Amino acid sequence: MSQSLNRIAAMTARYYYILRSSWLRLLEIVYWPAMQMLVWGFLYTYLYDSKSAMASTAGLLLGAVLLWDVLFRGQLGFTFTFLEEIWSRNLANLMMSPLQPFELAASLMLMSLIRLVIGTLPVLLLTFVLFGFNVFAMGPGLILFFLNLVLTSWAIGLVIAGLVIRQGFGAESLAYSIMIVLLPLCCVYYPVAALPLWLHPVAWSLTPTYVFEGMRAVLLDGSFRTDLMLECLALNAVYLGIGFTTFVALLHSARHKGGLLTMGE
Amino acid sequence: MSRIERFLPRRHLTPVSPNATPAQDHAPVSPADDEAPAIAVEDLCKQYRSHWAVDDVNFIVPKGWTVGLLGGNGAGKTTTIAMIMGLIVPSFGRAMVLGHDMATERHKVLGRMNFESPYVALPGRLTVRQNLTVFGRLYGVADLKARIEELIEDFELGDVLDRVTGRLSAGQKTRVAIAKALINDPDVLLLDEPTASLDPDRAEWVRSRLTAYQKRRRATILLSSHNMTEVEQLCDFVVIMSHGRVVAMGRPAELAERFKCRDLDEVFIYLARVA
C-alpha cells in the first residue's frame, strides 16, 4: 500500500514539475475559464440590469457556466495530463515500471483536481469581484455539485485515455470534442423538461443533468435536492467503474495490438 | 548442419542449458530463482493481420549473461524485446523473465527489470534530477539520493543534472536514459541500440560502464545492436534474427567460424543477404 502511494506521489510530482516548468502553462489553465467567464459575466450584468423577464435567470446562466467549466476543465485536466506521456514518448517507460494502471489513474485524478483548483478559484473570485455573483451562496450543496462533476470528468477522462492508448493520436481530438456531445443532452442551461420527451431518459442517464437540475432547484426555489445528488453519486460510482474497466481493457487491447513501445512516434 | 538454421526443428534452436556458465564466472542473481533462466523465450510468435513479425522464436538467456539480439531492420528484434518486456502480448508462445510469464505476471518482476530504447524518451520538460527522482520513486529505490549520486558519478551527469532533459545533446540524453535504466539496479536489463547516437569514444565509454555494472551486479543483459564490434565486445552469446525468425545463434567467435567469416560483421551481412 505504501509503495502504491509512493508511486502515485511520484507521478503527481512528475506532473507538478511539468506544470511549474512554464508560467505560460499555468496562465493557460486560468486564461480560458477567465475569458469565458468575462463574456458570460457581461451578459449576466446586462440581463440583470435590464429588469426584463430574463433578469431572474441571469444567475442561473452564470452558475451553469461555472459548473459546466468544472466538468469541462476537470476532463481536460485529466486527459491533457495523460497526453503529456504520449507527447513526450514516455508511456513505455511507465508501462515498464512497477506503476499499476490504477496508480496512474489516481495520479491523473489528483492532477486534474490540482489543475481545476488553480483554474477555478481565480475565476470564482473574478466573478464575485466583477459581477457580484457569489457561487458559494449555493451553500454546502456546492461541494456535492463540484464532487459529482469532477467524478464524471474523471470517468470520461479514463475512457479517452484508454482510447488514445488503443488508437493512438487519432483519438486525441476526443479530448476536446467529447464534452460538446454532452452539452445539449445534460441540460446545462435549460431544464430537462425543455427536451423532447424521448430524450428524457438519455438526459437522466447523464450525471451532469442531476447537478444542473440540482443547481436550478437551489437558485430558483432555494431547496437542495438531496435525492438528486445521491442518485448522481451512485451513477457516478457506476460510471467511474466502467471508465476504469474500459481504460484497463483498452490498455490490454493495446498490448495485443502492439504499439505501446513506439507510441508518440 | 545447415547454414541457415531456420530450417531446423525449433527445439534445436534453444542455445544453451540454463545451467551453463558464460565466459566470465558469474553466480546466480538470486538463490530463490536458481531454477529459472533470466529470460526464456518459448515458441514466441506475433502476428499482425497476415504478417508474422515474430515467427516461432526460441532462446534462453541464463542469469549473468549478456546476449545480443541481432538482425536487420524489420527482423523482429524490437517486437521480440517488447514481448519480453510485456508491452506486447504474443500471439502464440510466451516470454518468461525470472520465471514469470510477461503476458500475465509482469507486475511480479517489473521492479527487477529495466530498459532503454531509442523509441522511448524521458520527459523532456523535466530536469535530469527530476527524471531520475521520479523513476527512482516509481521503482521504490531505497536511499534514492545515494543511488542518484552514484549514477551521477558513474555517468558523469553532474554538469547536466539540473538541465532540462529535452535540451540535452543526443549523447547526453543517451547517458541519462541509461542512468534511468540502471536506477533500480535491475537484475535484467534490456537495451535497444544503447550506443546508436553516440560518437565512438562515448560509445566505448558507455560500453565500459555497462560492463562494469554487469560485473558488479552480475546482471543479465539482452542487447539489440547494429554495431557488431560492440556485440563482440559485450556479448557472451548472440541470437541473429531475420524476417521474424532466428536464423543463427552461438558465441560470436563460434558463429564466425561456423559461417567461415572473419568476424560477426561478415556473419551479419551474410545472413542478411541469404536468410
Side-chain angles (χ1 to χ4, degrees):
Chain A
M1 184 65 181
S2 70
Q3 284 183 342
S4 220
L5 289 176
N6 198 30
R7 287 194 287 268
I8 293 169
M11 287 306 294
T12 310
R14 178 250 190 285
Y15 298 131
Y16 169 71
Y17 291 144
I18 294 176
L19 203 59
R20 76 169 193 193
S21 69
S22 162
W23 62 268
L24 276 170
R25 276 168 178 264
L26 277 170
L27 186 68
E28 196 188 359
I29 293 176
V30 184
Y31 174 78
W32 291 110
M35 287 303 110
Q36 178 165 272
M37 186 46 61
L38 279 180
V39 172
W40 289 98
F42 286 124
L43 181 63
Y44 163 78
T45 311
Y46 167 71
L47 290 174
Y48 197 79
D49 292 345
S50 69
K51 300 198 185 330
S52 66
M54 293 289 286
S56 62
T57 62
L60 282 181
L61 201 62
L62 214 50
V65 171
L66 277 170
L67 290 182
W68 171 255
D69 223 46
V70 169
L71 178 66
F72 189 55
R73 301 290 151 194
Q75 180 264 318
L76 281 187
F78 186 101
T79 313
F80 275 69
T81 306
F82 172 75
L83 284 172
E84 283 284 351
E85 304 300 359
I86 309 291
W87 294 330
S88 62
R89 295 195 295 139
N90 186 45
L91 192 65
N93 274 325
L94 298 181
M95 293 294 121
M96 262 301 286
S97 78
L99 183 75
Q100 303 263 11
F102 81 87
E103 294 162 354
L104 175 61
S107 63
L108 292 171
M109 288 172 184
L110 207 53
M111 207 55 213
S112 149
L113 204 58
I114 292 169
R115 288 174 65 118
L116 200 55
V117 169
I118 294 172
T120 308
L121 279 184
V123 172
L124 293 183
L125 195 68
L126 193 74
T127 316
F128 181 67
V129 171
L130 290 181
F131 308 112
F133 181 80
N134 182 12
V135 73
F136 297 103
M138 289 188 214
L142 182 68
I143 296 170
L144 276 178
F145 294 159
F146 189 89
L147 175 70
N148 272 310
L149 291 172
V150 168
L151 291 177
T152 306
S153 74
W154 292 346
I156 296 167
L158 279 165
V159 174
I160 296 172
L163 285 169
V164 171
I165 286 177
R166 178 62 178 78
Q167 299 299 123
F169 281 127
E172 193 185 342
S173 60
L174 283 174
Y176 309 92
S177 57
I178 199 161
M179 299 302 282
I180 305 303
V181 178
L182 293 185
L183 185 59
L185 295 172
C186 61
C187 305
V188 179
Y189 302 111
Y190 40 80
V192 176
L195 291 178
L197 210 55
W198 61 271
L199 270 180
H200 285 206
V202 179
W204 286 114
S205 70
L206 301 171
T207 45
T209 307
Y210 295 77
V211 173
F212 292 107
E213 285 292 312
M215 177 204 72
R216 278 184 282 274
V218 168
L219 291 179
L220 290 176
D221 310 327
S223 66
F224 178 71
R225 296 278 306 273
T226 313
D227 58 328
L228 283 182
M229 287 307 99
L230 290 178
E231 282 175 49
C232 188
L233 270 175
L235 208 50
N236 261 325
V238 173
Y239 284 159
L240 258 183
I242 292 172
F244 183 70
T245 308
T246 307
F247 175 70
V248 172
L250 289 169
L251 178 61
H252 189 68
S253 169
R255 286 177 61 215
H256 278 276
K257 185 190 170 200
L260 276 181
L261 187 62
T262 52
M263 187 161 280
E265 284 284 288
Chain B
M1 175 188 290
S2 163
R3 296 181 77 178
I4 308 302
E5 294 183 21
R6 65 189 299 184
F7 301 114
L8 286 173
R10 63 190 178 207
R11 282 297 172 201
H12 290 201
L13 293 175
T14 303
V16 283
S17 147
N19 299 320
T21 52
Q24 303 92 343
D25 182 24
H26 287 161
V29 174
S30 159
D33 293 316
D34 277 353
E35 298 303 315
I39 299 170
V41 170
E42 298 171 0
D43 308 335
L44 199 66
C45 299
K46 186 64 193 176
Q47 183 182 23
Y48 295 116
R49 294 202 174 99
S50 60
H51 170 64
W52 290 88
V54 173
D55 186 3
D56 200 13
V57 168
N58 291 270
F59 64 86
I60 61 171
V61 182
K63 284 172 185 167
W65 284 50
T66 298
V67 169
L69 189 58
L70 314 182
N73 297 324
K77 306 184 299 289
T78 300
T79 306
T80 301
I81 287 179
M83 286 192 278
I84 293 170
M85 294 193 292
L87 290 179
I88 295 178
V89 176
S91 304
F92 298 104
R94 60 182 185 170
M96 310 277 285
V97 175
L98 299 171
H100 297 283
D101 187 335
M102 292 305 285
T104 54
E105 301 178 325
R106 57 197 297 267
H107 281 290
K108 291 182 181 169
V109 77
L110 285 175
R112 295 172 62 190
M113 301 172 68
N114 214 318
F115 86 115
E116 191 270 337
S117 164
Y119 293 109
V120 181
L122 288 171
R125 294 176 197 278
L126 269 60
T127 65
V128 173
R129 187 194 301 275
Q130 288 168 342
N131 267 320
L132 293 177
T133 304
V134 168
F135 279 100
R137 291 178 69 183
L138 285 179
Y139 280 93
V141 175
D143 200 357
L144 180 57
K145 207 172 170 186
R147 181 66 188 134
I148 290 176
E149 288 303 320
E150 275 175 22
L151 290 168
I152 291 166
E153 197 174 317
D154 284 354
F155 288 89
E156 298 176 6
L157 296 173
D159 292 347
V160 298
L161 197 59
D162 291 310
R163 283 177 58 190
V164 171
T165 310
R167 292 195 188 140
L168 301 179
S169 69
Q172 288 168 330
K173 280 181 188 167
T174 302
R175 277 154 57 202
V176 175
I178 294 174
K180 171 255 151 190
L182 300 180
I183 188 91
N184 59 327
D185 269 329
D187 294 331
V188 176
L189 185 58
L190 303 167
L191 301 169
D192 194 1
E193 305 270 352
T195 59
S197 57
L198 301 177
D199 64 59
D201 180 44
R202 270 292 165 188
E204 176 61 31
W205 182 86
V206 165
R207 281 195 287 275
S208 71
R209 291 296 184 276
L210 288 173
T211 305
Y213 173 77
Q214 201 265 346
K215 281 185 175 162
R216 177 177 69 78
R217 191 76 180 91
R218 292 169 180 175
T220 306
I221 298 178
L222 181 64
L223 169 92
S224 154
S225 177
H226 286 142
N227 181 339
M228 296 304 128
T229 310
E230 175 170 282
V231 172
E232 283 175 326
Q233 191 180 334
L234 286 177
C235 298
D236 303 300
F237 200 87
V238 295
V239 176
I240 303 180
M241 294 182 70
S242 178
H243 302 291
R245 310 192 85 185
V246 173
V247 291
M249 55 172 70
R251 291 181 191 274
E254 286 170 4
L255 283 177
E257 195 183 319
R258 192 189 310 168
F259 290 99
K260 297 181 172 50
C261 297
R262 275 177 302 184
D263 53 27
L264 203 55
D265 228 0
E266 278 192 6
V267 173
F268 183 92
I269 292 167
Y270 170 76
L271 288 172
R273 288 177 183 169
V274 301

